[in-house]
Amino acid sequence: HTFAQDAANLSEHNLLKLEVEKYFDKIDILLIAYGELSQNIDVFDNSEVLKSINTNFTSVVSYINTFLPFFIKQNSGNI
């Protein structure tokens, strides 16, 4: 099953968790592997820096916080 999502849109992270719960009773591993980097690092203004932080850090923390209760409930799993 595939589920497309904008990782920077934190309000959609719970939708992914709900989709996962529909198809899987248990999750062994949550692998978070994505990121973005501006095309032109020489012109890295504050808005680009914030976009990078939101995509590469804040959204990862949000995914972890979204799925953490699932792992705690099943008393196992790896992130």
Side-chain angles (χ1 to χ4, degrees):
H1 183 78
T2 59
F3 186 79
Q5 185 175 63
D6 177 4
N9 186 349
L10 306 184
S11 65
E12 291 186 359
H13 291 190
N14 197 52
L15 296 174
L16 177 63
K17 182 179 144 288
L18 294 173
E19 279 292 305
V20 168
E21 289 175 334
K22 280 186 201 176
Y23 293 95
F24 302 99
D25 295 328
K26 185 175 179 179
I27 302 173
D28 295 323
I29 297 172
L30 175 64
L31 175 64
I32 302 171
Y34 66 88
E36 69 92 31
L37 182 61
S38 175
Q39 292 289 333
N40 190 349
I41 293 182
D42 296 332
V43 191
F44 221 51
D45 63 24
N46 283 339
S47 66
E48 286 295 315
V49 170
L50 289 175
K51 181 181 174 191
S52 241
I53 289 170
N54 284 336
T55 299
N56 298 327
F57 175 73
T58 307
S59 65
V60 173
V61 172
S62 176
Y63 276 124
I64 291 169
N65 283 334
T66 299
F67 279 88
L68 191 58
F70 191 93
F71 287 111
I72 291 170
K73 183 179 175 183
Q74 71 181 19
N75 202 33
S76 66
N78 297 288
I79 298 173

